[in-house]
Amino acid sequence: MNAMMLSDYDVFLFHEGSLQQAYQFMGSHVRKDSRGTYTEFCVWAPNARSVSLAGSFNDWKSAGYELQKWNREGLWAVRVDGDLTGETYKYEITTLSGERKLKSDPYGFASEKRPQTASIVYELEGFQWSDEEWLEKRSGSSIYDKPMFIYEVHAGTWKKKDGKFLSYKELARELIPYVKEHGFTHIELLPVTEHPFDRSWGYQSTGYYSPTSRYGEPHELMGFIDECHRNDIGVILDWVPGHFCKDAHGLYQFDGSFAYEYGEERDRENYTWGTANFDLGKGEVRSFLISNARFWMEMYHIDGFRIDAVANIIYWANQGQQSPNEGAIGFLKKLNQAVFEYDSSILMIAEDSTDWPQVTSPVHYGGLGFNYKWNMGWMNDVLDYMETPPEKRKDGHSLMTFSLLYAFSENYVLPFSHDEVVHGKKSLLDKMPGDYWQKFAQYRLLLGFMCAHPGKKLLFMGSELAPFSEWKDLEELDWHLMNYDFHHKFNSYFKDLVHLYKGAEALYELDHQSGGFEWIDVNNSEQQIFSFIRRGKKENDHLVVICNFSPIVYHGYKVGVPHADSYREIWNSDAGKYGGSDQVNPAPLSVHHETYHGKAGSVVMTIPPYGAVYLKPDYGRGE
């Protein structure tokens, strides 16, 4: 057995923090040359006394399988004769203090199924992709002026079969048609990197290069993504580059020292989550994570990343006063630059709860370099307002209007994510005050308002069923609810709403430009009615939106509108077929050509209780 030959330039980039394809030589790889077939292993363990290879191929006895230390910075490598595909292995590391550790491969492409923790030699090449048309379409268009409605999914609890997880293959057969039927444009997968504990939902990972074996093999995940693309569905990976779990076989104290994490306890220990923070200023850690993003794009054709806990990254987590972490901020900028240099059509979405400026501005303009950011402020304000009893909502009127003061300062996604329906927060439906009917009416209103508000959209799985119970992270969704009339009608409502949203350019083409939104009446706190205009790119392409957050029906209500001959009601959340009281406007609404609400004309209409109404202009038909 001889150590592999490494490119001096790649080694330099790896330690410097700029290597974008470290997975090409780190980890395990089966190679062939004129001398035959062999398997190479390479690992970074800067403070190890020695590193050996133990696995199923040597009866877990590492003697004779020692890795050679390649350089003083701590790269270790070995070449083993033969094709070891399918064999399990770990690195046996002897620390400077003489302690022996068995560690899974940080760059391992596959892992044993929990509770086993070894890595598996796995060749990713050989999968036959058939998504060329999707990739070409993605690269040739911009998402900014397209509809985007993301379905956030935890693969382990979307649906189960005989109490067990669906496999990647089964998810492809069942989840993709469901997502397509409901009109979602993207699936966002809660982290599918390998993780030891089911209830961490994937956020505490040990295998950043290894899709979890809970649902099948890596090629089967590729098959799922390929099938998504064949059905015009993008796939976003929830990704956690800020911190990692501390299980003994993982990255924590990998070689007896703090190789991947900060050396100082106050910086390293993430007490909130029981994890360790990556040292994002260290070159080898940067190469590990930036290469990991490139890996998912190149090898799995991932369409984007939702970056978890950006606030924890950009600020030092465990200091009494928040101060910027310049090393981590530099990492985020370098990450985003690397991603967009590889593919400018990738989604880089920051889950950021701070007011850090220019999160979605390019790095060369002084920004962090993301192209989207979750609008956590909008989500918190809107849910606070909705949870307020209707008779008190007039005092919180600004909760619904404040977001428009900053809606165009970043490129936003409006999220109703898993975080809002767990840990006693209640489901979205159950957050609504009032009786059974009122809860459903207000939930329909909430989503009608969401679809009309500037920004792309995200909804956590199951919310389209209107469950009363919050997410149960060990059980499947409440599919039995479709046997109940109001839940069935709500599901129909949601599907129709998403399809309408996707077909109405005015609701998305100018999401990130102030010209795409205009208030009609922003001050009607007494009646709790908000009216505004959404505009598309084409001249006169607009919708008038009226949302009533009170339980009162208003007949003969006058609303200012732009010039047109008449308006048609194309959406009413109170329609009887959706479970509403059917206070609709079936006939065209004639425009009275007099200035009202500062607009050129007005219409007189019925405003439904807890209702969202969309009006579309007609031209050339006369009054």
Side-chain angles (χ1 to χ4, degrees):
M1 294 180 293
N2 299 309
M4 63 190 287
M5 296 297 293
L6 304 178
S7 159
D8 289 339
Y9 186 59
D10 282 343
V11 170
F12 166 77
L13 292 178
F14 175 73
H15 293 300
E16 189 265 342
S18 298
L19 189 61
Q20 297 182 17
Q21 293 174 287
Y23 50 89
Q24 291 186 341
F25 69 81
M26 300 294 289
S28 62
H29 297 271
V30 177
R31 317 276 193 195
K32 293 182 180 180
D33 62 19
S34 58
R35 294 170 292 177
T37 301
Y38 51 91
T39 305
E40 293 178 334
F41 296 84
C42 186
V43 67
W44 177 62
N47 292 296
R49 179 183 294 178
S50 66
V51 181
S52 300
L53 199 62
S56 55
F57 51 87
N58 63 5
D59 200 25
W60 295 94
K61 297 176 181 177
S62 63
Y65 287 80
E66 293 81 11
L67 279 71
Q68 177 183 332
K69 191 172 185 179
W70 186 251
N71 61 10
R72 63 182 182 180
E73 288 82 15
L75 283 176
W76 300 76
V78 67
R79 175 181 295 171
V80 180
D81 292 335
D83 182 344
L84 299 184
T85 297
E87 300 285 354
T88 56
Y89 69 98
K90 285 186 178 181
Y91 295 112
E92 183 179 299
I93 297 174
T94 303
T95 70
L96 292 177
S97 66
E99 181 185 2
R100 176 178 169 271
K101 291 176 174 281
L102 278 174
K103 291 286 190 176
S104 57
D105 191 343
Y107 289 85
F109 293 158
S111 305
E112 284 186 298
K113 192 172 182 179
R114 71 193 197 314
Q116 305 304 314
T117 57
S119 301
I120 302 173
V121 179
Y122 192 97
E123 284 302 293
L124 293 176
E125 303 294 340
F127 179 80
Q128 298 299 312
W129 289 93
S130 55
D131 62 349
E132 296 84 2
E133 184 177 343
W134 166 267
L135 295 177
E136 183 178 351
K137 183 176 71 172
R138 189 188 75 189
S139 65
S141 64
S142 168
I143 192 64
Y144 301 110
D145 60 357
K146 301 293 189 300
M148 183 163 70
F149 209 128
I150 303 166
Y151 190 50
E152 188 188 34
V153 174
H154 178 252
T157 54
W158 180 73
K159 186 179 287 187
K160 294 195 174 185
K161 184 177 181 180
D162 299 325
K164 297 180 180 179
F165 299 136
L166 295 187
S167 67
Y168 294 121
K169 288 183 177 180
E170 290 169 327
L171 285 166
R173 288 196 298 267
E174 298 197 37
L175 176 59
I176 292 173
Y178 181 85
V179 165
K180 195 169 184 179
E181 175 191 358
H182 283 74
F184 293 105
T185 62
H186 294 73
I187 294 171
E188 179 180 311
L189 293 170
L190 267 64
V192 294
T193 49
E194 192 58 82
H195 53 284
F197 183 47
D198 290 351
R199 301 194 75 178
S200 78
W201 314 330
Y203 288 98
Q204 297 187 14
S205 180
T206 52
Y208 275 74
Y209 288 81
S210 173
T212 179
S213 55
R214 287 169 174 79
Y215 317 127
E217 296 184 2
H219 280 175
E220 293 169 343
L221 175 57
M222 292 179 186
F224 171 80
I225 296 169
D226 190 55
E227 189 65 20
C228 284
H229 289 170
R230 285 161 53 87
N231 283 274
D232 290 323
I233 299 168
V235 181
I236 299 167
L237 180 66
D238 210 336
W239 192 55
V240 190
H243 61 107
F244 56 90
C245 68
K246 296 163 67 174
D247 291 60
H249 65 282
L251 298 176
Y252 189 68
Q253 293 186 330
F254 186 75
D255 59 2
S257 70
F258 300 115
Y260 285 87
E261 58 271 50
Y262 292 106
E264 292 290 331
E265 179 180 350
R266 66 177 186 177
D267 304 327
R268 176 180 67 250
E269 296 300 319
N270 195 314
Y271 298 109
T272 301
W273 297 314
T275 55
N277 293 316
F278 276 111
D279 184 346
L280 296 173
K282 189 178 292 184
E284 295 86 354
V285 174
R286 288 185 171 191
S287 289
F288 173 78
L289 291 170
I290 293 173
S291 291
N292 188 241
R294 173 71 175 266
F295 169 81
W296 286 104
M297 292 186 291
E298 182 177 352
M299 305 306 298
Y300 285 87
H301 295 195
I302 285 291
D303 300 289
F305 300 88
R306 177 266 198 183
I307 313 302
D308 179 63
V310 169
N312 183 69
I313 294 175
I314 62 178
Y315 289 107
W316 290 106
N318 292 303
Q319 295 181 354
Q321 296 182 345
Q322 281 194 333
S323 57
N325 181 340
E326 297 299 340
I329 293 167
F331 160 75
L332 289 176
K333 292 180 178 181
K334 198 165 188 175
L335 165 71
N336 287 320
Q337 285 178 313
V339 165
F340 291 127
E341 284 172 4
Y342 175 73
D343 189 336
S344 61
S345 68
I346 293 294
L347 294 166
M348 292 296 286
I349 306 170
E351 187 246 339
D352 177 27
S353 58
T354 75
D355 58 359
W356 190 270
Q358 294 185 276
V359 172
T360 58
S361 293
V363 173
H364 58 270
Y365 289 145
L368 287 184
F370 294 93
N371 54 6
Y372 276 97
K373 171 181 173 173
W374 276 17
N375 195 336
M376 310 289 280
W378 173 88
M379 177 272 297
N380 284 315
D381 286 349
V382 168
L383 292 182
D384 282 351
Y385 182 85
M386 295 304 299
E387 291 182 88
T388 301
E391 63 273 14
K392 296 182 179 180
R393 281 179 177 163
K394 64 181 180 180
D395 298 326
H397 192 76
S398 62
L399 290 171
M400 299 297 280
T401 62
F402 181 66
S403 61
L404 273 305
L405 296 178
Y406 63 86
F408 309 107
S409 63
E410 304 277 6
N411 301 327
Y412 282 115
V413 173
L414 310 181
F416 288 139
S417 75
H418 67 279
D419 280 330
E420 309 319 313
V421 294
V422 289
H423 302 320
K425 295 181 181 178
K426 300 193 291 190
S427 70
L428 292 178
L429 175 69
D430 203 26
K431 292 178 192 289
M432 306 298 108
D435 61 24
Y436 187 83
W437 187 92
Q438 291 172 328
K439 283 179 178 290
F440 275 93
Q442 289 175 91
Y443 190 28
R444 293 192 303 269
L445 166 62
L446 171 63
L447 293 184
F449 176 73
M450 176 194 193
C451 279
H453 191 286
K456 308 309 180 186
K457 327 297 177 187
L458 177 143
L459 190 72
F460 183 56
M461 66 177 197
S463 299
E464 74 281 4
L465 307 178
F468 274 98
S469 60
E470 62 181 28
W471 177 37
K472 301 177 287 293
D473 60 3
L474 292 178
E475 302 174 27
E476 69 174 8
L477 300 183
D478 294 333
W479 296 107
H480 66 278
L481 293 177
M482 289 300 92
N483 297 320
Y484 295 88
D485 184 53
F486 261 62
H487 295 275
H488 183 77
K489 286 179 176 177
F490 177 84
N491 185 247
S492 296
Y493 169 84
F494 180 77
K495 286 188 284 190
D496 289 351
L497 176 62
V498 175
H499 285 290
L500 181 143
Y501 159 73
K502 290 170 63 179
E505 289 88 350
L507 293 180
Y508 57 77
E509 282 189 335
L510 299 179
D511 262 335
H512 313 305
Q513 300 178 38
S514 59
F517 179 91
E518 181 183 347
W519 283 112
I520 295 174
D521 187 359
V522 68
N523 297 313
N524 192 351
S525 60
E526 285 298 322
Q527 292 177 302
Q528 299 154 40
I529 294 176
F530 302 83
S531 53
F532 53 89
I533 301 166
R534 289 301 311 275
R535 298 187 186 276
K537 290 182 177 181
K538 296 176 183 176
E539 185 178 3
N540 293 327
D541 180 18
H542 70 272
L543 295 179
V544 169
V545 179
I546 306 100
C547 294
N548 177 16
F549 290 87
S550 81
I552 301 172
V553 182
Y554 294 98
H555 296 289
Y557 190 92
K558 193 173 181 180
V559 182
V561 295
H563 172 77
D565 293 300
S566 64
Y567 279 81
R568 289 180 295 112
E569 182 179 271
I570 64 168
W571 189 254
N572 191 319
S573 67
D574 190 52
K577 65 180 179 178
Y578 300 133
S581 61
D582 217 25
Q583 297 294 321
V584 298
N585 297 274
L589 302 171
S590 297
V591 174
H592 304 282
H593 296 287
E594 59 183 12
T595 301
Y596 193 76
H597 284 147
K599 304 299 179 280
S602 64
V603 295
V604 177
M605 59 182 294
T606 295
I607 305 293
Y610 294 134
V613 176
Y614 301 171
L615 305 179
K616 184 178 179 65
D618 283 326
Y619 297 97
R621 298 184 180 182
E623 185 169 333

